[in-house]
Amino acid sequence: MTAKIATATGAQHAALLGLGSYRPSRVVTNAEICEHIDSTDEWIRTRSGIIERRFSEPHETVQMMSVAASRTALERADIHPAQIDCVLVATVSHLWQTPAIAPLISAELGSTPAAAFDISAACAGFCYGVTMGADMVRSGTAKYVLVIGVERLSDITDPTDRGTAFIFADGAGAAVIGPSDVEGIGPVVWGADGEKFDFIRQKQSWIDVLALERAVMPHLQMEGNPVFRWASFEMAKVAQEALDRAGLTVDDLDVFVPHQANMRITDAMARALKLPERVVIARDIAYQGNTSAASVPLAATALLESGEAKSGQTALFIAFGAGLAYAAQVVTLP
Ligand code: UT7
């Protein structure tokens, strides 16, 4: 007779319990970017909405920024690092093929032996992680999950590439997810379109780099305009579906936190969703640039810290990027 295996059971509901972020110290102006590419401050501002961005100093490593953001999130959640059962790190700029950075971060925080692994879903990675964390809490796989979005894109961006040099930047954001009396993380709408794999990618594989006469850093490259059009048209539909699946409408929303890819994409989505005037829209890109997996938690934390958004409010998260991978969910802000 086949042995009867017990089924894991968890909390009925999951929620974000705390958010934190880390912004690197070095401010990089558009003028500095234009020292290396044929562009202007005005072009960058009007085409992307970026006024300045942050690049990490050498000591502001992926690990250091993640630990700093996580400590803030844990403190705000009132959860001790030892209570964390799983650490998920969304990043594309931890430049080791193996091991993942998550176990190192977990060890530095004092969360060992929590399960720990990285998520490679580029800009969508944090929103992928929020869904995975919530599912773990509800299934009983973990009681508390730490989800981190972190990037040092300045390491893998070619400062002389006109298509990407002005966009990408560095930073970290973190969220603690745990059990809740009421639902705080709505059903996800997520997906990926591998037919557009080439739209944003590392220029060469590591094997290709070895075959070169002189090794180079395989920088990021992006088909900016096709990505722009895809994001502006398709992502509003994904955001609307996340609202529908949560059983809500734009009238229930207080805050909109889209991936900080381009201010014009944010505006296009807000128009397509017909967001009421009173909905607070995250516009962190102006002073932070596009930080890929870190952008949603950085932007959400900034709104809470400035008082523009408040704990208990309903927010719509949506993120999209290389893959092309995307994810959206409605959450209650911690
Ligand atoms: O985070 C992951 C997801 N990423 C995104 O969502 C980013 C999506 N893409 C974008 O944000 C935009 O495509 C960019 C901001 C990257 C570019 O804006 P765009 O409006 O799509 O510009 P474009 O590539 O269509 O180029 C328009 C013009 C061209 O000149 P002509 O042919 O009209 O004379 C380009 O040569 O702008 C020129 N151009 C530049 N000019 C000054 C392209 N790059 C630059 C530049 N500075 N850096």
Side-chain angles (χ1 to χ4, degrees), residues 19-21 64-77 79 81 105 107-110 146 174 176:
L19 274 168
S21 68
M64 179 268 179
M65 294 193 289
S66 298
V67 167
S70 299
R71 287 201 172 122
T72 306
L74 285 159
E75 260 173 50
R76 289 177 179 164
I79 296 295
I105 293 167
E108 192 178 337
L109 285 169
L146 178 64
V176 177

Side-chain angles (χ1 to χ4, degrees), residues 183-324:
E183 194 50 65
I185 299 176
V188 73
V189 178
W190 62 349
D193 183 355
E195 284 182 12
K196 299 184 176 66
F197 173 86
D198 270 0
F199 281 20
I200 312 172
R201 67 178 175 96
Q202 187 176 312
K203 228 176 240 173
Q204 299 95 352
S205 74
W206 298 114
I207 302 284
D208 295 338
V209 168
L210 282 177
L212 295 173
E213 239 168 65
R214 205 171 59 87
V216 293
M217 170 62 84
H219 289 123
L220 291 172
Q221 67 177 24
M222 177 169 71
E223 305 289 332
N225 200 260
V227 176
F228 181 88
R229 280 185 278 123
W230 170 79
S232 301
F233 294 116
E234 301 302 325
M235 289 305 101
K237 293 181 212 161
V238 170
Q240 182 60 53
E241 213 181 317
L243 273 173
D244 295 346
R245 294 210 57 206
L248 303 176
T249 72
V250 284
D251 294 326
D252 300 302
L253 266 191
D254 301 302
V255 185
F256 179 47
V257 188
H259 168 44
Q260 302 293 290
N262 182 317
M263 198 75 88
R264 289 189 294 142
I265 296 175
T266 296
D267 289 335
M269 284 194 290
R271 273 195 306 274
L273 285 164
K274 299 192 171 60
L275 290 186
E277 279 278 308
R278 53 165 196 83
V279 173
V280 173
I281 300 176
R283 298 190 179 280
D284 200 41
I285 190 168
Y287 295 97
Q288 187 64 38
N290 177 339
T291 56
S292 188
S295 90
V296 166
L298 270 164
T301 305
L303 291 177
L304 286 165
E305 286 174 352
S306 69
E308 287 167 90
K310 306 235 172 342
S311 171
Q313 286 189 326
T314 304
L316 173 59
F317 286 177
I318 179 163
F320 46 84
L324 295 178

Side-chain angles (χ1 to χ4, degrees), residues 33-241:
I33 296 291
C34 294
E35 287 169 18
H36 307 285
I37 55 170
D38 175 17
S39 189
T40 60
D41 173 50
E42 206 226 326
W43 190 94
I44 296 171
R45 281 177 195 239
T46 51
R47 290 290 176 140
S48 70
I50 300 171
I51 296 168
E52 60 187 34
R53 76 283 291 134
R54 303 286 183 110
F55 284 179
S56 307
E57 296 285 10
H59 72 281
E60 293 169 315
T61 62
V62 166
Q63 185 173 340
M64 179 268 179
M65 294 193 289
S66 298
V67 167
S70 299
R71 287 201 172 122
T72 306
L74 285 159
E75 260 173 50
R76 289 177 179 164
D78 199 18
I79 296 295
H80 193 272
Q83 292 175 269
I84 295 291
D85 299 308
C86 184
V87 178
L88 300 179
V89 180
T91 186
V92 295
S93 43
H94 163 56
L95 300 183
W96 293 74
Q97 193 76 44
T98 195
I101 190 84
L104 286 172
I105 293 167
S106 172
E108 192 178 337
L109 285 169
S111 297
T112 306
F117 60 97
D118 294 357
I119 303 171
S120 182
C123 307
F126 178 79
C127 290
Y128 268 47
V130 166
T131 280
M132 290 163 71
D135 285 352
M136 285 180 195
V137 169
R138 289 187 289 246
S139 68
T141 307
K143 185 165 181 193
Y144 296 106
V145 179
L146 178 64
V147 182
I148 300 164
V150 57
E151 302 291 1
R152 258 180 74 114
L153 296 177
S154 59
D155 285 340
I156 53 171
T157 301
D158 177 356
T160 66
D161 176 24
R162 213 169 171 232
T164 54
F166 62 95
I167 284 229
F168 294 129
D170 306 341
V176 177
I177 296 176
S180 166
D181 292 340
V182 290
E183 194 50 65
I185 299 176
V188 73
V189 178
W190 62 349
D193 183 355
E195 284 182 12
K196 299 184 176 66
F197 173 86
D198 270 0
F199 281 20
I200 312 172
R201 67 178 175 96
Q202 187 176 312
K203 228 176 240 173
Q204 299 95 352
S205 74
W206 298 114
I207 302 284
D208 295 338
V209 168
L210 282 177
L212 295 173
E213 239 168 65
R214 205 171 59 87
V216 293
M217 170 62 84
H219 289 123
L220 291 172
Q221 67 177 24
M222 177 169 71
E223 305 289 332
N225 200 260
V227 176
F228 181 88
R229 280 185 278 123
W230 170 79
S232 301
F233 294 116
E234 301 302 325
M235 289 305 101
K237 293 181 212 161
V238 170
Q240 182 60 53
E241 213 181 317

